[in-house]
Structure formats: C-alpha cells, structure tokens
Amino acid sequence: MTTTPLRIDIISDVVCPWCIVGCRQLKRAAEASGTAVDIHWHPFELNPSMPAEGQNMVEHIMEKYGSSQAESHANRDRLTAIGEDLDFTFLFADDMRMHNTFDTHQLLHWATLKGKGDDLKQALFIAHFTHCRNLSDPDVLAAIASEVGLERAEAEAILVDQRFADQVRAEEKFWTQQGITGVPAMVFDRQHLVTGAQGVDNYANILSQLRQGVGASE
C-alpha cells in the first residue's frame, strides 16, 4: 500500500447510478493495486429545478433523454448486473422517483466537516437505489444521517435553517466553471480530469500511470 494517499476529488449526485458504479470501480481498482486514496466528494445536481415532490423516474428519464420505456428498462437491467459485480444492489421499481438533491448536498457538506462525508454519501446511494427511500423528505434525510453516526437533531436543524446553502451553491458554481457538465467527474491529484464510470481495469491503469508519474488524461 502506498504511504501517501492519492487525492481524488469526485463531483457527483446521489441520484446518479453511474456515480456509485464509478466509485465502486475506483475503490476496487485501488484496493487491488494497493493504492491508498483520499476521496473528497463535491456537489452536482442532475436536476436542480426538480420540485420537492420529485418525479417518477421512468417518466423523468424518458422526458429528459428521449428514451423509450423499453430502453429505460434495458438500462436498468444493465446497471443491476454491473452493480451485482461490484457488490452494490440496484433495486429499481416502477414507482421509484427522482428527487431534488440540494438538501442531500447540504448534509454532505456538514458530514464532511465531521469526517463522515464518505459514510453519508454511501448511505445515501444505498437509500436511494437499494431501498427507494424518499430523499426529498427531511425526516428521511435526518434518519440516514443518524444511521451513520451523525447527530439527528443537528441534521434536522440544518435542513430547516439551510445554513450550508450558500457554500453548496458556491461549490457547485466552482465546478461548473471548471467545465464540469456531467457526472461522475473525478480529478486525480488535483490535475487530471477523468469523466464517466471508466471500469475497474481503466481505473487501475490510471492509478498505475499516476504512481509512475506519467499522469492520466481525460
């Protein structure tokens, strides 16, 4: 295992299936290659104008991407198979909803300050994709925060007073100004941008190049 962890900044949204896929692929590659990594999560909203009540996911995907219902279900099947290989369970349901995720990013900002950013991020992925929990519900979000060891009352207060709203907006603006228009986007060693879920082998190659001082390209 390398002694100095490699910093990796990941810009993502918790309702992005390819974000958890890319994360799992990266972590598997790092573990297999003995590369210590220091992951920092950053906010990106796939649907910043999504209303609080959310939208049926199949309808949303069809409207946003112009895909058919058959194509949507085929993509679900593909993701489910990929998830199984990465020990992550996608349990898609016809009544699954897409949510507005601004509040999740506020809680993630707070969790990072408490040293629990990755714990909460993983819990939110599981809550959404495995258990279909309502990430638009403040009570659900506060409960998830408490499940990873954060103070529920403080989580509830953050969601009420929106104390981290300005910081999250500023960070989102920063990354969009860096040219980030889709996620996952990973910045290795503060220099090398890699977009999309690349697969275990490709991440292993990127890590190998960085260890050798060659660098990774997009």
Side-chain angles (χ1 to χ4, degrees), residues 28-54:
R28 181 166 291 185
E31 182 178 355
S33 63
T35 305
V37 295
D38 179 23
I39 292 175
H40 296 255
W41 293 99
H42 302 283
F44 185 95
E45 291 178 80
L46 287 174
N47 305 288
S49 61
M50 180 68 67
E53 65 271 17

Side-chain angles (χ1 to χ4, degrees), residues 74-117:
N75 191 50
R76 288 182 174 192
D77 291 342
R78 180 186 175 204
L79 280 164
T80 299
I82 292 172
E84 287 177 357
D85 187 55
L86 296 167
D87 298 320
F88 185 85
T89 302
F90 286 103
L91 287 179
F92 294 106
D94 287 339
D95 61 350
M96 194 171 181
R97 300 187 72 77
M98 185 65 75
H99 303 290
N100 184 300
T101 56
F102 185 66
D103 281 347
T104 71
H105 291 301
Q106 289 192 76
L107 287 185
L108 285 162
H109 180 91
W110 165 60
T112 298
L113 297 177
K114 298 289 187 178
K116 292 275 191 178

Side-chain angles (χ1 to χ4, degrees), residues 139-161:
D139 289 337
V140 171
L141 292 179
I144 296 169
S146 70
E147 289 161 13
V148 300
L150 292 162
E151 178 59 47
R152 177 168 183 153
E154 189 171 358
E156 292 172 340
I158 288 166
L159 295 173
V160 170
D161 63 32

